[in-house]
């Protein structure tokens, strides 16, 4: 199809539905194999979108190293430092509020809307996490509780399914480390949180290539989300947009700020068509997004635009390889009961 600037603008401006976690809204079949990587790479639009993405990453990386970031403005330093000291409170209070909401309104949900169980003890685990997350001295208990819920979900839903949600592991480690920090301080755990948050969005992008049929189900119920754009192109392009935004959050300075804002808008906008389910599902994604926004990078991860672009390409290839390998090894071999 002809990919005019109008199509690309409409995709970015009107595609919040494509940034929802599709497994929250459709019937997913854990036995269904992902799309063949050979078939995927043979699609002409994949090559075109890849070239556009590489060009966009290179240009924005070049601009990111020439335009000043808020961290370069001397008169903003006191405000930025104050915001950074707020990040631990955002993480603890946001996590506590999330699990308190689950305790009161959604006791059957473990971590995200599709991870459900009728175990009556789950409500008490939620409440314990909520109660202990609010203070740094007890947040270690909350972190261990989240790790317990994550491992419980792995037992019920399989390792491959839970690779989508490493942000919960990052959140758990952050809360555990808070018990060893002074008030308002954070260390390397914020970088782990940034990594796992970006990884979850990068994985969500890869999912759009591996399981496009899931998005067909989603768009069948909400066809207006594509604004008349071809469904297949819409989903593929949304995957590249999400991957580019997450990459800049992980590696950029000013580009990271802009990508954080764009991704936050898209995530929050998805609440409009999908309501409470999306609100609960993204709650503990938005909280780390805020904490990471309050803790900006002062130097880019890669020194030059070229090395950043090469890193982008390498990460894309490695995540594709990891996703397919992990499906056939982790998802099948470790959890054969899911296929019977």
């Amino acid at each position: 199809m002809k990919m005019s600037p109008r199509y690309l603008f409409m995709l970015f401006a009107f595609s919040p539905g494509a940034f929802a976690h599709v497994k929250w809204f459709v019937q997913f079949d854990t036995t269904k194999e992902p799309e063949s990587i050979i078939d995927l790479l043979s699609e002409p639009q994949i090559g075109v979108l890849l070239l556009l993405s590489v060009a966009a990453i290179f240009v924005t990386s070049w601009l990111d190293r020439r335009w000043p970031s808020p961290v370069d403005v001397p008169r903003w330093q006191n405000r930025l430092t104050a915001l950074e000291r707020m990040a631990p409170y955002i993480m603890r209070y946001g996590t506590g509020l999330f699990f308190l909401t689950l305790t009161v309104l959604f006791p059957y949900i473990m971590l995200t809307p599709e991870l459900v169980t009728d175990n009556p003890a789950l409500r008490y685990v939620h409440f314990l996490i909520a109660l202990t997350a609010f203070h740094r001295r007890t947040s270690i208990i909350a972190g261990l509780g989240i790790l317990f819920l994550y491992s419980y979900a792995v037992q019920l839903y399989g390792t491959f399914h839970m690779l989508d949600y490493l942000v919960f592991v990052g959140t758990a480690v952050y809360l555990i480390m808070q018990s060893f920090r002074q008030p308002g301080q954070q260390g390397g755990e914020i970088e782990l949180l940034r990594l796992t948050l970006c990884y979850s969005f990068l994985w969500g992008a890869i999912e759009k290539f591996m399981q496009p049929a899931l998005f067909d189900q989603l768009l069948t119920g909400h066809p207006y989300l594509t604004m008349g754009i071809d469904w297949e192109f819409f989903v593929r392009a949304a995957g590249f947009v999400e991957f580019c935004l997450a990459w800049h959050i992980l590696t950029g300075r000013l580009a990271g700020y802009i990508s954080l804002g764009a991704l936050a808008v898209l995530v929050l906008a998805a609440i409009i068509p999908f309501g409470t389910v999306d609100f609960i599902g993204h709650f503990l994604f938005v909280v780390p997004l805020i904490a990471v926004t309050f803790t900006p990078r002062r130097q880019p991860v890669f020194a030059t635009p070229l090395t950043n672009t090469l890193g982008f390409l390498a990460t894309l290839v490695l995540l594709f390889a990891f996703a397919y390998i992990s499906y056939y090894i982790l998802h099948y071999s470790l959890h054969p009961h899911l296929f019977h």
Side-chain angles (χ1 to χ4, degrees):
M1 65 172 291
K2 182 181 179 181
M3 287 170 285
S4 67
R6 169 180 169 272
Y7 267 65
L8 295 176
F9 172 78
M10 290 171 66
L11 168 72
F12 182 79
F14 298 103
S15 61
F19 294 85
H21 274 66
V22 67
K23 290 178 289 190
W24 302 342
F25 307 102
V26 302
Q27 293 294 323
F28 58 92
D29 183 359
T30 56
T31 67
K32 183 176 175 58
E33 294 188 26
E35 183 169 345
S36 167
I37 195 166
I38 296 176
D39 293 341
L40 183 65
L41 295 177
S42 66
E43 296 179 12
Q45 62 180 220
I46 292 294
V48 174
L49 288 168
L50 178 60
L51 288 175
L52 286 172
S53 298
V54 169
I57 287 294
F58 182 82
V59 171
T60 51
S61 297
W62 184 83
L63 293 173
D64 190 39
R65 285 153 181 78
R66 280 156 179 78
W67 289 356
S69 170
V71 299
D72 299 321
V73 181
R75 67 177 182 274
W76 290 357
Q77 295 310 303
N78 290 337
R79 295 178 183 177
L80 291 174
T81 300
L83 288 175
E84 188 169 345
R85 290 182 63 84
M86 287 178 60
Y89 299 97
I90 294 292
M91 283 300 299
R92 295 203 310 271
Y93 295 169
T95 302
L97 182 59
F98 171 69
F99 281 100
L100 188 60
T101 302
L102 292 187
T103 302
V104 177
L105 300 177
F106 307 99
Y108 52 87
I109 293 177
M110 280 182 282
L111 293 168
T112 60
E114 91 283 13
L115 303 176
V116 297
T117 178
D118 57 0
N119 189 335
L122 193 62
R123 180 191 297 269
Y124 302 104
V125 178
H126 287 159
F127 183 68
L128 178 64
I129 295 173
L131 191 65
T132 56
F134 287 102
H135 198 281
R136 65 181 180 83
R137 294 189 185 278
T138 57
S139 63
I140 185 173
I141 300 173
L144 292 173
I146 294 173
L147 291 179
F148 168 77
L149 289 179
Y150 188 89
S151 63
Y152 186 26
V154 168
Q155 178 188 3
L156 295 181
Y157 288 87
T159 306
F160 182 81
H161 188 100
M162 293 305 295
L163 287 175
D164 198 3
Y165 298 124
L166 285 187
V167 65
F168 291 103
V169 176
T171 298
V173 172
Y174 188 97
L175 294 179
I176 290 171
M177 292 305 299
Q178 274 294 291
S179 288
F180 303 96
R181 303 290 184 194
Q182 295 299 314
Q185 291 186 350
Q186 54 187 356
E189 62 270 19
I190 187 63
E191 292 308 319
L192 177 64
L193 183 66
R194 191 193 311 270
L195 176 63
T196 54
L197 174 68
C198 292
Y199 166 86
S200 290
F201 284 113
L202 293 172
W203 187 268
I206 296 297
E207 191 176 59
K208 292 175 175 62
F209 302 107
M210 293 183 67
Q211 301 284 359
L214 293 179
F215 291 88
D216 289 342
Q217 295 181 50
L218 181 71
L219 294 175
T220 298
H222 302 82
Y224 59 88
L225 292 173
T226 67
M227 300 293 292
I229 300 174
D230 176 74
W231 286 12
E232 184 178 10
F233 172 75
F234 175 83
V235 173
R236 302 296 198 211
F240 278 110
V241 170
E242 187 171 6
F243 205 97
C244 290
L245 292 176
W247 180 253
H248 272 319
I249 294 171
L250 181 62
T251 64
R253 297 193 323 142
L254 178 62
Y257 264 120
I258 295 172
S259 297
L260 277 162
L263 198 54
V265 168
L266 291 167
V267 166
L268 294 174
I271 297 174
I272 297 173
F274 298 111
T276 304
V277 173
D278 193 82
F279 173 76
I280 290 298
H282 273 134
F283 197 118
L284 218 54
F285 285 77
V286 172
V287 171
L289 269 175
I290 297 172
V292 167
T293 302
F294 285 4
T295 314
R297 286 201 182 282
R298 297 188 176 274
Q299 295 295 332
V301 173
F302 295 93
T304 67
L306 178 60
T307 53
N308 192 54
T309 305
L310 292 175
F312 169 82
L313 274 172
T315 302
L316 182 62
V317 171
L318 289 173
L319 269 182
F320 259 109
F322 175 67
Y324 277 87
I325 291 171
S326 63
Y327 177 85
Y328 289 107
I329 295 179
L330 294 176
H331 193 46
Y332 181 82
S333 299
L334 295 184
H335 303 280
H337 64 281
L338 294 176
F339 292 80
H340 298 292

